[in-house]
Amino acid sequence: MLRVNWLTDLSQISENCWLTLFQSGFPFTDHAFLNALANGKSVDSNSGWQSQHLAVWQGEQLVALVPGYLKTHSYGEYLFDWQIAQAYQQLQLPYYPKWIAALPFTPVTGPRLGMRQDTDQHAVLSVVCQFLKSELNQGKLHSVQWLYPEAELATSLAEQGLWLRYDVQFLWQNQCYTDFNDFLARLNSRKRKQIAKERAACTGLSLQTLTGEQLTDSHWQQLIRCYQATYLKRSGHHGYITPQSFQLLAKTMATKVVVFAAFDSQQPQQIVAAALCFLSKDTLYGRYWGALEHNEYLHFELCYYQGIEYCIKRGLSFFDAGAQGEHKLKRGFAPVLRYGAYSFADTPLSAAIQGYFKQEQRHLQHYLQAAEAALPYKALVK
């Protein structure tokens, strides 16, 4: 007999127990990553992200877990629902709190349901969805949202009655390139020249690739300064990740971190811009970018080209450079379909929301096809 409850503190679960549930090596469901966000006050506290993980038990044994958060706003999610929230407000209907099965500030597709290998996923999802539906019916939640689940889980959630949303992101795929020039050779002439020009514009700086083990306390302080400066200029705040969380990531996730940094040629110890990335077995994930001064070409160099080179040299299959950005398409990142799955408390808006999702799906399928046609790769000779 399976039972479900909420957990508000990951310290209630040992790291060894966690590893029996999440075994893929995906960095953002790592016990250390989520703990760094919680213990560093990037979530909980007054962030509007309250840890509320969904645990499934069989007797006294934890057999499944969904990392999740109770939300009182919609910031930091990236598969945004602002239009829906506004419609609720216009009808004076409560929209928050909502519960999201998501990774804070991390719009990356990956595991959302961790399970023991001997556990029946269908049985787990059935009891989980029944529990969440009860929470909606009792008015404890106003919506349930699974953001960026893997395709198989999204399909299973739809079978449980949730409504699907689509999103399009951009993913670089390694086609067994031998080096960066081999990658460039697969692009059309105009794009090759554009990338060469952009890379040449960064030659006045010292560019370095640093692993987590190579990063010193001074490096981390400078990375944080760059990150905060960029967010302050762009959004008027210092970013979602606190310095304390960054410091915890430095201590607990060094083996899964790589940084592409630009150093001032006149002050060789001074980082002027950096892209902080995470690693899985086959994928590089670009996550946090920051710069002390605006330099568009340097952004492309550190956030895209350095990562592509890194993947080629180390034989990684994919480079997920982050959400949004058609500029990735022009640089060889292919469009890929991503998913969300939703359930709402019954309101007069329910039918309209379902219709909106279906219309959005059609639009994004057309957009995906158009984006695929716009990729800069040369046509294969048959």
Side-chain angles (χ1 to χ4, degrees), residues 140-336:
K140 296 178 181 179
L141 303 172
H142 298 292
S143 73
V144 165
Q145 306 180 8
W146 299 68
L147 306 185
Y148 299 104
E150 293 168 315
E152 181 182 354
L153 179 57
T155 299
S156 297
L157 290 167
E159 291 170 354
Q160 292 286 338
L162 279 75
W163 301 338
L164 292 186
R165 285 185 76 186
Y166 290 170
D167 191 18
V168 172
Q169 294 183 341
F170 298 90
L171 183 72
W172 183 85
Q173 301 182 48
N174 191 348
Q175 304 296 329
C176 298
Y177 301 117
T178 56
D179 55 26
F180 193 85
N181 286 333
D182 185 26
F183 160 65
L184 285 183
R186 312 289 180 93
L187 305 181
N188 62 49
S189 175
R190 187 165 65 89
K191 292 305 178 187
R192 288 201 306 272
K193 291 177 181 178
Q194 178 185 343
I195 291 173
K197 176 183 176 182
E198 291 172 354
R199 300 204 79 180
C202 302
T203 54
L205 296 165
S206 173
L207 306 181
Q208 296 183 32
T209 298
L210 300 169
T211 65
E213 293 95 331
Q214 293 172 319
L215 293 169
T216 65
D217 289 342
S218 176
H219 287 143
W220 278 102
Q221 291 299 325
Q222 293 181 71
L223 294 174
I224 293 167
R225 190 179 308 126
C226 290
Y227 170 80
Q228 291 184 331
T230 296
Y231 257 99
L232 189 61
K233 182 175 181 180
R234 182 174 65 192
S235 305
H237 60 82
H238 285 102
Y240 294 116
I241 311 299
T242 66
Q244 294 89 340
S245 287
F246 276 122
Q247 290 160 5
L248 288 169
L249 291 171
K251 293 177 181 178
T252 60
M253 294 199 70
T255 60
K256 295 186 178 181
V257 165
V258 61
V259 168
F260 306 115
F263 288 80
D264 190 323
S265 57
Q266 302 300 316
Q267 302 179 65
Q269 302 302 315
Q270 176 66 51
I271 295 175
V272 296
L276 173 61
C277 304
F278 289 80
L279 292 163
S280 72
K281 294 177 182 178
D282 65 353
T283 304
L284 177 70
Y285 297 94
R287 294 310 331 138
Y288 310 120
W289 152 259
L292 299 182
E293 297 180 4
H294 176 72
N295 183 324
E296 185 176 24
Y297 291 155
L298 187 56
H299 176 266
F300 295 148
E301 176 66 32
L302 296 182
C303 291
Y304 305 142
Y305 306 140
Q306 289 285 320
I308 289 173
E309 262 190 325
Y310 185 91
C311 289
I312 294 171
K313 288 178 180 178
R314 284 154 183 80
L316 297 177
S317 300
F318 304 102
F319 180 20
D320 184 332
Q324 306 166 336
E326 285 190 343
H327 46 276
K328 297 185 183 75
L329 181 70
K330 301 175 183 178
R331 291 161 179 86
F333 289 76
V336 288

Side-chain angles (χ1 to χ4, degrees), residues 6 52 70-71 95-99 131-144 345:
W6 297 117
Q52 191 152 301
L70 198 66
K71 291 295 301 293
Y95 192 64
Y96 305 104
K98 64 181 182 180
W99 181 78
F131 175 81
L132 292 171
K133 185 176 181 180
S134 176
E135 296 285 283
L136 290 169
N137 290 339
Q138 293 177 52
K140 296 178 181 179
L141 303 172
H142 298 292
S143 73
V144 165

